[in-house]
Amino acid sequence: MRDPLVRLGWQALAYSCIGLGTAGLVVPLLPTTPFLLLAAWAAPKGSPRLARWLWHHPRLGPPLRAWQRQRAIARPAKRLATVLLFLSWLVLWLGGAPVPVLGVTATLFCCVALFVWTRPDATPLGSERHAKRTAMIRRI
């Protein structure tokens, strides 16, 4: 059996990432998706029950599965991410952040937006097609 302390560490990481991802919904500059992806990676190592909850959650499960199967992001999520990046930058600007901070964050946010928009669009049928295509390629 695994060391309980190690298991507790994985659980703590998963729950912390879920908490940070949730906070990222309302706190500018705190990303949600990377924390949820990290939680999905850590959860099975510490709590299979938590992992099942994440992967079968009606809101969190589909984007996690799309990323795992296709490395894809749904178009509405891309739009939302772009709007939230812009709003976060706007909050910094309206809050009187120094120009160098505005420049660095604008560059960072543009890079993030570029990454998001260069990922394929996730589709429910796409994941099935991807699985079939992968299985067919493996047979060859």
Side-chain angles (χ1 to χ4, degrees):
M1 181 161 205
R2 298 177 74 167
D3 181 12
L5 194 57
V6 171
R7 201 166 164 207
L8 184 63
W10 286 115
Q11 286 177 353
L13 177 62
Y15 280 110
S16 298
C17 288
I18 290 170
L20 288 169
T22 303
L25 293 171
V26 293
V27 176
L29 301 177
L30 189 62
T32 299
T33 304
F35 285 118
L36 291 177
L37 290 172
L38 186 57
W41 173 75
K45 296 166 179 56
S47 172
R49 190 173 126 229
L50 176 61
R52 278 191 304 278
W53 178 81
L54 272 173
W55 288 97
H56 297 292
H57 190 277
R59 285 263 200 225
L60 305 175
L64 288 172
R65 288 190 297 275
W67 182 255
Q68 180 192 40
R69 293 176 183 158
Q70 304 170 286
R71 292 295 185 250
I73 301 170
R75 189 168 291 261
K78 291 178 182 184
R79 286 189 204 111
L80 180 62
T82 304
V83 167
L84 292 176
L85 286 166
F86 175 74
L87 289 175
S88 294
W89 187 86
L90 194 60
V91 166
L92 287 173
W93 180 64
L94 292 173
V99 173
V101 170
L102 292 173
V104 169
T105 55
T107 303
L108 176 67
F109 287 179
C110 286
C111 290
V112 170
L114 181 65
F115 175 81
V116 165
W117 281 99
T118 57
R119 301 305 99 197
D121 289 340
T123 60
L125 292 176
S127 61
E128 293 171 16
R129 287 186 195 131
H130 177 74
K132 287 179 184 176
R133 193 174 333 130
T134 304
M136 193 178 345
I137 290 170
R138 287 184 185 152
R139 278 188 243 147
I140 294 175

